[in-house]
Amino acid sequence: MNIPSSTLDELLAIRREVSGRTVDVDEKTVQLVIFTLQGEWLAFHGDKIREILPYGRVFFVPGCPDSLEGVINVRGDIISVIRLEMLLGHPGTAPSQHASILLGQGGGMQSGIRVDEVLDVREVPESAILAPPGTLPDHLRPLVLGIVTIRTRPVLVLNLGRLFEDYQRGLG
């Protein structure tokens, strides 16, 4: 069949004639903010991240736990900045040259979270997020919502609300 160049509507009309019907499948999607942290690919649900900021000057606050890097001024609001790697059981590191601060909210808390690099913000089908692997270390199990494959890499989807709740209780 030789089809001349047409508009999308014309092509869809031809397709319906040939196949009898077109099926639309609406699968629920989830927005993820995908980032790296010490070589691992991780993500938060996009509805928990209010803003992505380039890493800038963070002001040290004496007497705070090591997991609190300091505070930043965001348009007149003073926001804490947490070292996510320490909450995940890794040693603290200096910010990378591509570091960003994710302004997150959840678990009754709002804070900045320093990450090494933001890779992508994308919609993924809910069905693409699989149950967390059973091989996760015990301390990570309550913090991981699931795992998804992005660019052939496994990405752990973290529960920001639970992370913040634990931090407030002093478990971070």
Side-chain angles (χ1 to χ4, degrees), residues 27 124-130 147-149:
E27 184 172 359
V124 299
E126 237 178 31
S127 63
I129 301 175
L130 306 175
I147 189 167
V148 64
T149 301

Side-chain angles (χ1 to χ4, degrees), residues 60-157:
F60 174 73
V61 179
C64 288
D66 290 340
S67 57
L68 181 71
E69 187 160 340
V71 296
I72 57 174
N73 183 336
V74 180
R75 295 176 293 283
D77 292 327
I78 304 303
I79 308 286
S80 61
V81 177
I82 293 173
R83 292 180 173 156
L84 179 59
E85 73 271 15
M86 296 183 84
L87 300 184
L88 298 178
H90 300 296
T93 60
S96 74
Q97 73 179 48
H98 301 291
S100 293
I101 296 174
L102 307 178
L103 294 184
Q105 56 193 26
M109 182 177 162
Q110 182 172 261
S111 182
I113 304 137
R114 179 178 39 99
V115 300
D116 290 342
E117 182 178 8
V118 174
L119 298 173
D120 202 354
V121 177
R122 72 165 54 179
E123 298 280 331
V124 299
E126 237 178 31
S127 63
I129 301 175
L130 306 175
T135 56
L136 281 177
D138 289 340
H139 73 281
L140 285 181
R141 287 182 189 187
L143 302 176
V144 177
L145 294 170
I147 189 167
V148 64
T149 301
I150 305 288
R151 298 187 216 158
T152 70
R153 297 275 314 250
V155 178
L156 293 179
V157 180

